[in-house]
Amino acid sequence: MLDADAPILFERRGAVALLTLNRPATRNALDGEPMYAAFESLFEQLNADLSLGAAVLTGSGSAFCSGGDVAQMRERAGMFAGSPQEIAGNYRQGIQRIPRAFQRLHLPIIAAVNGPAIGAGNDLACLCDIRIAATTARFAESFVKVGIVPGDGGCWLLPRVVGASRAAELAFTGEAIDAQEALRIGLVSRVVAPEALLDEALALAGRIAANPPQALRWTKQLLLQARTGSLDEALDAAARFQGLAHHTADHAEAVAAFFDKRPPRFGQGEGT
């Protein structure tokens, strides 16, 4: 049953999980223990459910995610309270749990960016595997505009999405870009009308989820490993996963369907 008060709403759409940031009053700011814990617990749930093949993350209200709560910054409250050492600890024990949770997520995830994705909200979109934007979306790596740095890993994430030079321009200026500029620089893969955003994201997630769930999870692990590992490490991991994949029922079904010239039916036996 849907918990309307949860910081992140979870719905099943067939083999797709729809996750909606549910703090419209703060424009879905990433603050507070309930939000951090929600990412961790939901992602553990998604990892454990092999009937799911993909996820979509979007925001409620007019924003995707406004990042940190600037009102709390002004008041030196919440994660912004205390000495420099205490604030560093607050980051490690708080918002940095979100990128670590994404790093442990096995399921492919699409960001459906419905509105502004600012500061940590921009980084949240970058944590997803694929980004689709509504024409109403805006993006900003805006930390310097409030005199701070990307404390959630943005300087690691953004160059891997748009390249070093464009990431530096976004981070050093803190300026916002619109959805069409985000498309031009590769921050998003497509831009659609606001009313079509969720349908477009769910349709793409559905096409992903039509593939064998375990093969999707192994492929995602290889893509994550490629961010930091060497070619030798990538080849070793690929060989290990490939050995396992060749012994799954889904692989046998896919090969049989290829020769029978019919759509495969995945998830029909053990070892899928």
Side-chain angles (χ1 to χ4, degrees):
M1 186 174 179
L2 193 67
D3 181 0
D5 295 323
I8 305 174
L9 302 178
F10 169 50
E11 303 174 59
R12 277 195 77 114
R13 302 287 183 94
V16 174
L18 174 60
L19 308 178
T20 305
L21 300 174
N22 188 35
R23 289 292 180 262
T26 64
R27 295 169 66 81
N28 300 316
L30 298 177
D31 62 334
E33 174 63 25
M35 181 68 79
Y36 312 141
F39 273 105
E40 292 172 329
S41 61
L42 278 173
F43 284 5
E44 287 177 7
Q45 183 178 341
L46 300 187
N47 282 344
D49 188 349
L50 276 176
S51 68
L52 290 170
V56 171
L57 176 67
T58 194
S60 59
S62 61
F64 176 70
C65 177
S66 62
D69 190 332
V70 180
Q72 285 194 345
M73 293 183 194
R74 179 186 59 193
E75 296 160 6
R76 296 188 179 275
M79 66 183 292
F80 312 115
S83 68
Q85 294 76 19
E86 289 170 327
I87 292 173
N90 293 341
Y91 271 80
R92 294 187 185 104
Q93 297 158 26
I95 196 170
Q96 289 185 357
R97 288 159 56 189
I98 295 176
R100 294 184 191 281
F102 271 88
Q103 194 74 9
R104 297 190 299 270
L105 178 64
H106 300 162
L107 207 65
I109 185 166
I110 301 166
V113 185
N114 54 299
I118 307 300
N122 184 70
D123 297 339
L124 181 66
C126 289
L127 283 164
C128 295
D129 301 304
I130 301 168
R131 287 157 295 283
I132 299 174
T135 53
T136 49
R138 291 187 300 115
F139 301 84
E141 193 74 358
S142 55
F143 298 90
V144 294
K145 291 295 190 183
V146 289
I148 59 174
V149 302
D152 60 344
C155 288
W156 187 90
L157 290 162
L158 196 55
R160 288 166 167 79
V161 175
V162 299
S165 179
R166 286 180 175 134
E169 182 176 344
L170 290 169
F172 291 156
T173 66
E175 294 170 354
I177 60 173
D178 63 17
Q180 288 299 330
E181 178 64 7
L183 177 64
R184 188 186 73 81
I185 67 173
L187 181 55
V188 302
S189 58
R190 67 185 78 175
V191 175
V192 301
E195 62 272 16
L197 176 66
L198 198 54
D199 286 344
E200 188 87 7
L202 288 169
L204 176 56
R207 297 200 302 275
I208 292 170
N211 293 303
Q214 187 59 74
L216 287 170
R217 285 159 168 76
W218 286 330
T219 300
K220 172 155 182 173
Q221 289 184 54
L222 290 173
L223 288 169
L224 289 174
Q225 187 273 342
R227 290 181 174 182
T228 56
S230 67
L231 175 59
D232 282 342
E233 290 168 334
L235 292 172
D236 181 67
R240 184 171 67 254
F241 288 142
Q242 197 73 307
L244 295 170
H246 276 278
H247 280 266
T248 62
D250 279 342
H251 168 64
E253 166 62 13
V255 172
F258 175 84
F259 284 103
D260 293 344
K261 295 181 171 55
R262 60 170 174 79
R265 298 181 295 273
F266 296 125
Q268 302 299 307
E270 295 296 325
T272 58

